[in-house]
């Protein structure tokens, strides 16, 4: 396990980061192994966990090939929040502890399925691709498999709330994911200096205000994506999803045996796959 002090003295173009905890560490092993197999440019790997999960992580993936960070070093929570809410706040603050221009934030339930390079994420001059698209496939599945209307989902409601706050003008519902998320740290610093600090708002307060004022869940992807669309802190070079994501078990069942689910076919368009264990 590499020492943090030495790493902080070097500025990386791109770092791979996963926030995980005890329940997901066994699953993270599949992601970690895929990174070790396919990481062609030896991009640095960071893992963020609660301190008490250190032994479990090291017993699962060993002590080499990554830098370990702890939740409590990144953020000390002052308010009562759910674990999933705490995870989003830590993701938004981890850039303060990693010396990198860009971060690829990977959830534990994903895995790479083919070789990847820095150029897959960086468009030019350390400017990353911005994952921003109309998620028409999910909109179709929302109707066909769930009987719903994508434009009236909780996600769409959240998008409109963020636009009310940040001021981005569009009638279209954009998706800034799914995971993995590709974030530029300059955008995050700008969010702090020109919005949060400027308005005297702490990140926890912002999270709870979204819930109490708009009746929606705070979302780290919308916080980054909608702020970037408003601020234009960096040039926006659009990209679709990096991984193919199976959001619901119905998607797995629908594609199973069709050829769409063959890993060799998926690899033609995506770097990896995300599938929750309950969907397998």
């Amino acid at each position: 396990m590499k020492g943090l002090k030495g790493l902080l003295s070097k500025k990386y173009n791109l770092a791979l980061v996963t926030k995980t905890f005890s329940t997901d560490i066994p699953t993270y092993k599949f992601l970690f192994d895929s990174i070790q197999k396919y990481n062609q440019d030896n991009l640095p790997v960071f893992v963020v966990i609660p301190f008490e999960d250190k032994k479990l992580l090291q017993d699962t993936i060993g002590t080499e090939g990554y830098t370990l960070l702890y939740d409590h070093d990144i953020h000390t929570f002052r308010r009562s929040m759910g674990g999933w809410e705490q995870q989003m706040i830590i993701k938004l603050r981890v850039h303060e502890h990693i010396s990198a221009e860009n971060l690829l934030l990977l959830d534990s339930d994903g895995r790479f399925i083919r070789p990847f390079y820095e150029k897959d994420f960086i468009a030019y001059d350390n400017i990353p691709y911005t994952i921003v698209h109309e998620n028409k496939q999910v909109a179709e599945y929302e109707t066909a498999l769930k009987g719903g209307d994508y434009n009236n989902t909780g996600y769409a409601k959240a998008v409109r709330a963020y636009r009310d706050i940040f001021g981005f003008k569009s009638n279209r519902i954009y998706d800034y994911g799914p995971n993995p998320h590709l974030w530029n740290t300059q955008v995050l610093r700008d969010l702090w200096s020109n919005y949060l600090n400027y308005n005297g708002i702490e990140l926890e307060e912002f999270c709870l205000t979204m819930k109490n004022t708009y009746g929606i869940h705070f979302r780290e992807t919308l916080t980054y994506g909608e702020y970037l669309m408003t601020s234009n802190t960096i040039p926006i070079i659009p990209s679709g999803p990096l991984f193919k994501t199976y959001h619901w078990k119905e998607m797995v069942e629908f594609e199973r045996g069709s050829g769409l689910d063959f890993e060799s076919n998926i690899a033609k368009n995506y770097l990896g796959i995300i599938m929750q264990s309950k969907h397998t």
Side-chain angles (χ1 to χ4, degrees):
M1 183 171 56
K2 300 175 182 176
L4 181 60
K5 183 177 179 181
L7 283 172
L8 287 177
S9 65
K10 180 178 180 179
K11 191 78 168 180
Y12 294 101
N13 296 332
L14 177 67
L16 312 184
V17 184
T18 297
K19 166 70 187 90
T20 190
F21 62 103
S22 58
T23 303
D24 290 342
I25 285 174
T27 303
Y28 176 67
K29 184 180 188 318
F30 295 101
L31 171 60
F32 183 75
D33 288 347
S34 75
I35 293 172
Q36 301 306 300
K37 180 178 181 180
Y38 291 122
N39 186 4
Q40 300 301 297
D41 288 335
N42 295 313
L43 301 171
V45 177
F46 292 79
V47 186
V48 186
I49 58 170
F51 180 79
E52 58 268 24
D53 293 340
K54 177 180 178 180
K55 184 178 186 304
L56 175 60
L57 180 76
Q58 293 181 341
D59 287 347
T60 303
I61 66 170
T63 60
E64 300 297 325
Y66 64 96
T67 298
L68 190 56
L69 299 175
Y70 299 115
D71 293 3
H72 68 264
D73 289 327
I74 295 171
H75 187 83
T76 300
F77 289 90
R78 301 179 182 179
R79 299 169 174 85
S80 176
M81 308 182 79
W84 60 275
E85 292 176 308
Q86 293 181 2
Q87 179 170 280
M88 290 192 289
I89 285 178
I90 288 172
K91 285 180 181 179
L92 282 166
R93 292 204 61 187
V94 73
H95 73 280
E96 300 169 344
H97 300 265
I98 298 175
S99 185
E101 297 287 345
N102 303 285
L103 303 177
L104 184 71
L105 292 109
L106 296 135
D107 283 351
S108 300
D109 53 2
R111 60 184 173 87
F112 287 94
I113 59 173
R114 63 177 172 87
F116 63 92
Y117 305 82
E118 184 177 295
K119 66 182 181 181
D120 290 314
F121 313 101
I122 306 299
Y124 63 89
D125 297 339
N126 281 343
I127 302 299
Y129 292 102
T130 294
I131 300 174
V132 52
H133 57 103
E134 293 181 81
N135 203 337
K136 294 185 177 182
Q137 182 194 50
V138 167
E140 290 174 334
Y141 282 166
E142 182 77 38
T143 300
L145 303 179
K146 309 295 287 186
D149 180 356
Y150 184 70
N151 288 316
N152 291 319
T153 59
Y155 178 80
K157 183 178 179 181
V159 168
R160 297 182 184 106
Y162 272 90
R163 288 178 183 170
D164 187 50
I165 292 173
F166 290 150
F168 178 57
K169 304 296 184 184
S170 177
N171 292 321
R172 300 194 176 197
I173 303 300
Y174 294 131
D175 197 322
Y176 303 100
N179 194 267
H181 306 304
L182 184 54
W183 291 352
N184 177 265
T185 55
Q186 182 182 341
V187 176
L188 294 166
R189 291 192 297 270
D190 191 56
L191 168 67
W192 253 261
S193 61
N194 292 325
Y195 183 80
L196 294 173
N197 292 344
Y198 180 81
N199 290 291
I201 303 172
E202 295 181 350
L203 187 57
E204 281 187 46
E205 181 184 0
F206 180 78
C207 173
L208 294 173
T209 297
M210 294 293 292
K211 181 187 296 185
N212 296 333
T213 303
Y214 292 93
I216 65 164
H217 291 304
F218 164 85
R219 296 172 185 257
E220 80 276 38
T221 52
L222 286 178
T223 304
Y224 177 89
E226 286 291 320
Y227 182 78
L228 172 57
M229 297 298 278
T230 303
S231 66
N232 288 291
T233 305
I234 60 171
I236 297 171
I237 313 299
S239 170
L242 301 172
F243 281 21
K244 179 164 184 175
T245 301
Y246 289 92
H247 298 274
W248 311 297
K249 66 178 181 179
E250 290 89 350
M251 290 180 67
V252 179
E253 294 166 354
F254 178 74
E255 293 193 2
R256 184 170 288 145
S258 68
L260 293 173
D261 60 327
F262 293 167
E263 195 167 293
S264 58
N265 289 338
I266 294 172
K268 294 175 182 178
N269 295 303
Y270 299 94
L271 295 172
I273 296 172
I274 291 181
M275 184 184 299
Q276 297 181 22
S277 58
K278 65 182 180 181
H279 293 165
T280 57

